[in-house]
Amino acid sequence: MESAAKRAKVDYFPSVGRIQYEGPESTNPLAFKYYNADEVIMGKPMREWCRFSVAWWHTFNGQMGTDPFSNTKTHLRPWDRGGSLETYLERVDVAFEFFQKLGVDYYCFHDLDVAPQGDSLEEFQKNLDVVTDKLLRKQQETGIKLLWGTQNLFSNNRYKDGAATAPDFDAFAYGCAQTKNMLDVGKKLGAANHIFWGGREGFMTPLNTKVRDEMDHMAAFLRMAVEYKKKIGFDAQFCVEPKPREPMAHQYDYDAQTVIGFLHSYGLEKEFKLNIEPNHTTLAGHDYEHDLRMASACGMLGSIDCNAGQPYLGWDTDEFPSDPRKALLSMLIVVQQGGIAPGGNNFDCKLRRESTDIEDMFLAHIGGMDCIARGLRGAAKLVQEGLMQKVLDARYISWEEHPLAKKVAAGKARLEEVAE
């Protein structure tokens, strides 16, 4: 079954060695200018502040180089030879060579990314077992870890109306089966997190939708996942990922504050944090770092899909981060909350359709990692200088100095007392 893995070791990226840090003066495109993994900043190595992860679905699932206007892929890789189980197994070797040469510590995947679906749920699970056995061996060999896993409950036709919010109970039940299987896989692989992104949990029109019923069903789905996690002793952090629209006209997990309100409404706020994707945030009409800030302010920022959107296009373009200012503002939030662990910065990013060279896989990730690292360096400098904090403290000084203000903040004042 795994003849490719039994052959002599193949170097899938012969033109690329392990990426090294060379500093900001370097002109070598295959070197880091700002990301120096073991350099200590404010008591932590950069690798721990950043916790970089590669997204399997944008890098190794065989569908790269497509966009909303063409399903014909332009990224033709020698290791992609159809949809056989052997192809999926060989991609594991490709991926871990890539991870090691790039120097990342983590990766992420959906169940459909790493194993063929087959003709039934049972066959899919058997395939997933085979591939994840190999993933576990590669993790043990390399020390690379699974940042998070998740279930794809949006691509198959059965989920055309959603999964946790589907009007068809069979679709709901199938989604529960996939989720159970991926929670088992997450425990097997030692995943630090498990992500819930409701790609089709919403509606195209409310006129054919029982909105409250669907939200109740989604809460029941999340509650069952929490119960099963505890039953099997899986200690990963659970995160919900907000997105306002696409593919649905309205999604129930619209933005950070919507999700936080939903979790509180159903008593789930202690079981979940948020996985924030800034490209989703801008689709909701907010600034790039807005949802990071709001989630962190509520103690709910769990992990980050560190990508960016194209402001001139109206869809989720999943570009690599390239704006140092936005990276600084984002990493400032991470620094101020003391880090992002057990979450991380996952590159939910894809090469452009016209970016077809194999080396581009490295160049794009290097650029994204350097951008975030540059943001980290700037954020640390801001915090250490303390100037911004002094201005903020001065603006709110009356809340610290006025006895009645302190009483209000402690929740012990009465309205009539303050009115006087």
Side-chain angles (χ1 to χ4, degrees):
M1 180 182 295
E2 197 182 336
S3 60
K6 295 178 181 178
R7 301 183 196 125
K9 177 175 171 55
V10 176
D11 189 348
Y12 294 99
F13 305 98
S15 65
V16 180
R18 185 173 176 88
I19 307 303
Q20 303 292 334
Y21 171 73
E22 295 184 4
E25 302 304 317
S26 173
T27 58
N28 178 6
L30 289 170
F32 294 120
K33 285 75 176 174
Y34 295 94
Y35 179 60
N36 187 9
D38 295 318
E39 179 181 344
V40 175
I41 293 178
M42 292 183 63
K44 293 182 184 179
M46 293 187 80
R47 67 168 68 249
E48 182 59 22
W49 279 117
C50 297
R51 293 173 64 86
F52 287 131
S53 169
V54 173
W56 200 287
W57 56 99
H58 283 319
T59 318
F60 305 110
N61 75 352
Q63 297 301 316
M64 290 73 68
T66 62
D67 65 21
F69 300 95
S70 177
N71 290 322
T72 304
K73 62 182 183 181
T74 58
H75 300 175
L76 305 177
R77 310 305 190 204
W79 53 80
D80 282 332
R81 292 183 291 273
S84 69
L85 179 57
E86 184 164 322
T87 293
Y88 281 86
L89 287 166
E90 186 171 9
R91 287 176 186 158
V92 176
D93 294 315
V94 177
F96 275 81
E97 181 184 330
F98 181 79
F99 302 155
Q100 288 178 282
K101 287 189 171 182
L102 185 61
V104 296
D105 296 325
Y106 301 95
Y107 70 105
C108 301
F109 69 87
H110 306 78
D111 49 2
L112 267 63
D113 301 330
V114 299
Q117 292 188 69
D119 296 323
S120 67
L121 181 63
E122 291 73 22
E123 184 178 356
F124 181 30
Q125 183 57 43
K126 288 179 181 178
N127 291 338
L128 194 59
D129 288 341
V130 171
V131 177
T132 55
D133 283 346
K134 184 170 183 179
L135 287 171
L136 181 58
R137 291 196 299 272
K138 297 298 283 189
Q139 288 184 191
Q140 292 168 342
E141 290 171 11
T142 64
I144 292 166
K145 300 175 282 293
L146 181 61
L147 183 68
W148 56 257
T150 188
Q151 51 287 330
N152 180 325
L153 304 184
F154 48 87
S155 292
N156 192 284
N157 287 348
R158 74 173 62 88
Y159 300 127
K160 63 181 177 61
D161 300 309
T165 60
D168 178 7
F169 179 72
D170 286 344
F172 179 95
Y174 205 104
C176 288
Q178 274 188 248
T179 302
K180 174 188 175 297
N181 291 342
M182 274 305 293
L183 291 173
D184 290 332
V185 165
K187 182 183 179 184
K188 171 183 177 179
L189 297 179
N193 306 269
H194 192 93
I195 305 300
F196 295 81
W197 177 59
R200 298 186 188 274
E201 312 300 3
F203 51 78
M204 293 303 295
T205 172
L207 300 180
N208 66 355
T209 304
K210 292 183 176 180
V211 172
R212 184 54 191 252
D213 285 359
E214 291 195 353
M215 291 193 296
D216 288 348
H217 298 162
M218 185 161 69
F221 166 74
L222 295 176
R223 193 171 290 114
M224 288 188 291
V226 170
E227 291 170 354
Y228 187 71
K229 175 184 110 167
K230 294 178 179 179
K231 179 179 180 180
I232 64 174
F234 182 29
D235 61 357
Q237 175 177 263
F238 272 8
C239 295
V240 176
E241 180 176 326
K243 187 179 183 183
R245 62 184 66 85
E246 192 201 44
M248 309 304 276
H250 173 80
Q251 292 177 198
Y252 296 122
D253 49 5
Y254 192 90
D255 63 6
Q257 286 179 278
T258 303
V259 173
I260 292 168
F262 174 89
L263 294 172
H264 277 271
S265 294
Y266 288 96
L268 292 165
E269 72 279 2
K270 294 181 180 179
E271 307 293 348
F272 289 86
K273 291 195 175 182
L274 274 60
N275 180 54
I276 299 298
E277 180 174 325
N279 195 175
H280 293 177
T281 303
T282 54
L283 287 175
H286 304 308
D287 286 338
Y288 182 89
E289 75 283 357
H290 173 88
D291 271 7
L292 296 172
R293 179 170 289 112
M294 301 312 295
S296 181
C298 295
M300 298 286 278
L301 178 58
S303 197
I304 304 170
D305 275 6
C306 56
N307 61 11
Q310 169 53 255
Y312 303 112
L313 298 176
W315 68 85
D316 191 7
T317 53
D318 288 337
E319 298 180 8
F320 283 85
S322 59
D323 186 328
R325 178 182 177 276
K326 292 176 181 176
L328 187 153
L329 292 172
S330 298
M331 289 306 293
L332 178 61
I333 295 163
V334 171
V335 170
Q336 288 172 332
Q337 73 168 31
I340 194 64
N345 276 291
N346 174 51
F347 287 106
D348 186 358
C349 313
K350 57 190 175 187
L351 295 178
R352 299 305 94 189
R353 180 173 168 80
E354 62 274 20
S355 186
T356 56
D357 294 345
I358 286 181
E359 290 79 7
D360 291 346
M361 296 169 62
F362 288 92
L363 296 175
H365 282 85
I366 291 168
M369 293 166 76
D370 264 345
C371 181
I372 298 298
R374 188 176 177 183
L376 170 63
R377 291 179 182 276
K381 184 178 180 180
L382 272 178
V383 171
Q384 289 173 323
E385 287 177 346
L387 298 179
M388 180 181 290
Q389 190 62 47
K390 288 180 181 178
V391 172
L392 279 171
D393 290 344
R395 186 171 187 232
Y396 290 88
I397 191 65
S398 66
W399 286 89
E400 298 296 327
E401 295 181 344
H402 198 297
L404 188 55
K406 292 181 179 181
K407 196 173 180 181
V408 170
K412 298 179 178 180
R414 298 187 310 276
L415 183 63
E416 61 271 28
E417 180 182 10
V418 179
E420 294 175 358

